[in-house]
Amino acid sequence: MQIRRATPEDFEIIYNLAVNTWNVTYEKILSKEQLDYMLDMMYSLNAITDQILVKGHHFILLSENNNYLGFASYELNYLSGIAKLHKLYVLPETQGRGAGKLLIDKVEEAAKRNGNNIVSLNVNRYNNAVNFYIKNGYKKIKEEDIDIGSGYLMEDFIMEKSL
């Protein structure tokens, strides 16, 4: 498996990976309406372009044999000494093969290289990924409910790992 940095030109790849992971990940947690709303809010061309070019998020893509399997996005120095993992998604058929671990390791390496000693993330409290993060050394710090508009909430754990 290979990892490379994504650019705004990789929008279609990121969007397709998001659609193909989100429905399976969240269909039992969120309504179809909220899923559609959040996909547009976070993965439209304008949203991804803004995340990369304005907010300074780094997107990385994981592939194998010219097939894209997943992606992550992160922000260095989100707060002083803290990197923020914004997104990490792996196709359902790829889960359990170490793909997520490769992505999270790459984010943690980038954080360390840039003087960040903590990686922080938000994860839906009802998402099975909570266990993945715990297995990889992350600890639940607190709960947070985030109003994202249109009457929708993100009900998250904030998790952190010291590097």
Side-chain angles (χ1 to χ4, degrees):
M1 288 187 237
Q2 304 82 37
I3 295 177
R4 72 168 177 86
R5 187 170 180 158
T7 67
E9 289 74 33
D10 292 314
F11 162 73
E12 296 275 338
I13 295 166
I14 295 165
Y15 183 80
N16 287 331
L17 286 166
V19 168
N20 289 315
T21 56
W22 268 57
N23 291 329
V24 173
T25 302
Y26 294 111
E27 68 186 353
K28 294 180 180 157
I29 300 171
L30 306 174
S31 70
K32 170 87 168 97
E33 293 77 19
Q34 185 171 351
L35 265 174
D36 292 344
Y37 175 81
M38 291 178 70
L39 273 170
D40 183 60
M41 181 183 82
M42 294 182 199
Y43 293 101
S44 68
L45 176 58
N46 288 340
I48 290 177
T49 301
D50 182 65
Q51 289 165 41
I52 294 173
L53 298 179
V54 177
K55 295 179 178 172
H57 296 191
H58 303 270
F59 279 76
I60 54 177
L61 289 164
L62 177 73
S63 65
E64 183 177 60
N65 300 323
N66 296 318
N67 295 313
Y68 289 98
L69 308 176
F71 71 96
S73 78
Y74 60 96
E75 182 178 357
L76 300 170
N77 302 306
Y78 169 75
L79 296 172
S80 180
I82 300 176
K84 176 86 172 198
L85 176 63
H86 288 286
K87 301 170 178 58
L88 191 153
Y89 292 98
V90 176
L91 292 173
E93 61 270 21
T94 305
Q95 294 174 7
R97 295 183 42 215
K101 175 86 171 113
L102 286 172
L103 286 166
I104 206 165
D105 285 350
K106 193 67 138 177
V107 170
E108 292 171 2
E109 288 168 19
K112 281 188 217 177
R113 268 194 323 274
N114 284 275
N116 294 178
N117 56 4
I118 293 173
V119 175
S120 178
L121 62 89
N122 284 46
V123 61
N124 182 289
R125 292 193 290 265
Y126 309 104
N127 187 334
N128 291 333
V130 170
N131 296 321
F132 166 79
Y133 293 119
I134 290 171
K135 181 179 172 186
N136 282 283
Y138 287 77
K139 293 180 175 26
K140 296 176 196 170
I141 303 302
K142 64 181 178 178
E143 293 184 7
E144 178 177 44
D145 291 336
I146 304 166
D147 182 344
I148 57 169
S150 294
Y152 298 122
L153 277 182
M154 291 194 321
E155 300 170 304
D156 289 353
F157 285 126
I158 296 176
M159 300 182 78
E160 290 184 351
K161 179 179 180 179
S162 294
L163 304 176

